[in-house]
Amino acid sequence: MKFGQVADPSIIDFTLPKDHPKTKEILEKNKNGLQNISIGCAKWNKTDLKGFYPKGTKDELTYYATQFNSIELNATFYSLPSPEQVLTWKDKTPESFKFFPKITNTVSHFRRLINVDDVVTQYATSMLNFGDQLGMVFLQLHDNFKPKDFDRVEKFVKSWPREIPLAIEVRSAEWFEEENFDKFCQLLGENNITNIIVDTAGRRDMLHMRLTTDSAFIRYVGANADSDYARLDDWLERIKIWKKEGLKNLYFFVHQNVEKASPLLSAYFIEKLNAEFGTEIHIPVMAEEGKIKF
């Protein structure tokens, strides 16, 4: 992922900010504890994840699903899949595997949330074919989509089909101005929509630490630097706090400026998380190196 990339990551303060006060209020409403943890990469293609697949791998998704329990599915951003395509993807993975598809760019970037009912209906119809393997879909708005068009977001959120869990990522810096952000988060919270947190070097304003539901959807972007691992350690400490406060779902997706390192970071994070929480999430293996050692 090139978004938020900087020339020299060493000059960035990667310290996680304090939680927004509203986050604890939201989490304390869940009395059933942490129920779901999904950790994965943003894509499964062999071109990006060099060294991850064994030689001769014929179906990348099938193999990917033996190593990870979820995928942040960016392919659906560029092309709206047919219901048959969704079923094909689903059939290649175990029942426990979860998909987190991005909403097609026709909705977010080309029509910019105007007159999108037809496309949303098509998209939702396809996504429902994932059945219980659908984790959550997410809308990523364009960098230049600003709060002046809040009414479009409001209409979109209020008309969204409730049977499909939704998260939203805003990118324009104007959204993170206090008044705008409060209004946006109130809308999401009232409609049970998850506010995405993005941790990337060049856009620290997107690391807002404000949850609007008891689900944390985190898009972590490593900088291909040694600091990537320390940053994951910091995230684990924060998630421990959220778990105590009432976090229900953790959705954590690892990106890199050079994506081939994503499985390495994911494996590191999963091993640390398993040790801390007593979970038994499979630790991915790089085919060219055997079991990853830290």
Side-chain angles (χ1 to χ4, degrees):
M1 179 192 278
K2 301 300 182 183
F3 178 77
Q5 186 174 5
V6 295
D8 184 4
S10 68
I11 66 173
I12 302 299
D13 180 3
F14 285 112
T15 305
L16 290 180
K18 293 180 180 180
D19 287 334
H20 190 282
K22 292 287 186 182
T23 290
K24 186 175 181 180
E25 291 180 22
I26 292 292
L27 294 181
E28 287 178 337
K29 296 176 182 178
N30 174 43
K31 306 300 182 183
N32 298 316
L34 183 59
Q35 298 179 16
N36 303 290
I37 299 175
S38 295
I39 301 172
C41 300
K43 53 187 71 175
W44 65 66
N45 69 73
K46 191 182 299 183
T47 302
D48 288 301
L49 303 184
K50 296 182 185 300
F52 175 64
Y53 293 98
K55 292 181 179 179
T57 298
K58 294 182 178 179
D59 191 283
E60 295 160 3
L61 175 57
T62 298
Y63 180 78
Y64 175 95
T66 68
Q67 300 298 305
F68 287 96
N69 67 6
S70 58
I71 182 78
E72 185 198 281
L73 187 52
N74 280 274
T76 54
F77 177 73
Y78 301 102
S79 178
L80 200 162
S82 66
E84 292 75 22
Q85 177 62 71
V86 168
L87 287 172
T88 297
W89 287 333
K90 178 184 175 184
D91 290 344
K92 290 180 178 182
T93 62
E95 292 182 1
S96 58
F97 187 87
K98 301 290 186 183
F99 292 86
F100 292 77
K102 187 185 291 187
I103 293 176
T104 175
N105 58 14
T106 301
V107 171
S108 57
H109 286 49
F110 295 112
R111 296 194 188 179
R112 298 174 68 87
L113 305 188
I114 298 174
N115 297 326
V116 295
D117 288 353
D118 58 333
V119 185
V120 168
T121 298
Q122 285 181 275
Y123 178 84
T125 300
S126 290
M127 295 304 107
L128 286 170
N129 279 280
F130 279 124
D132 292 340
Q133 289 184 236
L134 179 63
M136 178 176 283
V137 308
F138 70 105
L139 174 73
Q140 180 189 87
L141 292 172
H142 197 286
D143 303 21
N144 61 21
F145 189 101
K146 299 182 177 182
K148 67 180 180 62
D149 291 320
F150 177 84
D151 59 321
R152 300 186 197 175
V153 181
E154 183 175 37
K155 181 179 179 182
F156 179 85
V157 162
K158 291 185 175 180
S159 62
W160 180 256
R162 297 301 172 184
E163 63 269 32
I164 299 179
L166 173 67
I168 298 181
E169 175 186 318
V170 289
R171 287 188 161 188
S172 169
E174 291 183 18
W175 284 104
F176 303 103
E177 296 171 5
E178 186 174 2
E179 183 177 350
N180 293 332
F181 199 53
D182 283 346
K183 186 177 180 181
F184 172 69
C185 290
Q186 183 176 348
L187 173 69
L188 299 192
E190 289 175 349
N191 291 275
N192 197 34
I193 307 298
T194 295
N195 191 15
I196 291 177
I197 295 174
V198 178
D199 182 355
T200 188
R203 285 295 307 275
R204 306 312 284 167
D205 54 336
M206 297 181 72
L207 194 62
H208 49 73
M209 309 307 280
R210 181 166 180 176
L211 304 185
T212 53
T213 68
D214 52 18
S215 297
F217 193 131
I218 299 155
R219 306 183 75 215
Y220 173 88
V221 187
N224 296 100
D226 290 342
S227 58
D228 291 349
Y229 293 91
R231 289 167 60 193
L232 288 173
D233 291 340
D234 290 344
W235 266 113
L236 182 58
E237 292 303 310
R238 186 58 53 92
I239 291 164
K240 285 164 58 178
I241 294 172
W242 287 353
K243 181 177 181 289
K244 290 179 181 179
E245 292 176 344
L247 183 67
K248 181 179 180 179
N249 303 302
L250 172 63
Y251 307 139
F252 198 99
F253 297 101
V254 178
H255 299 248
Q256 275 277 322
N257 299 144
V258 180
E259 289 290 358
K260 69 178 182 179
S262 296
L264 287 166
L265 289 177
S266 300
Y268 176 86
F269 188 63
I270 291 169
E271 184 163 65
K272 292 278 188 174
L273 190 145
N274 282 343
E276 183 64 43
F277 293 163
T279 48
E280 296 181 350
I281 302 171
H282 177 75
I283 300 172
V285 172
M286 294 290 282
E288 289 187 359
E289 302 175 20
K291 190 174 187 300
I292 300 169
K293 298 180 180 179
F294 311 111

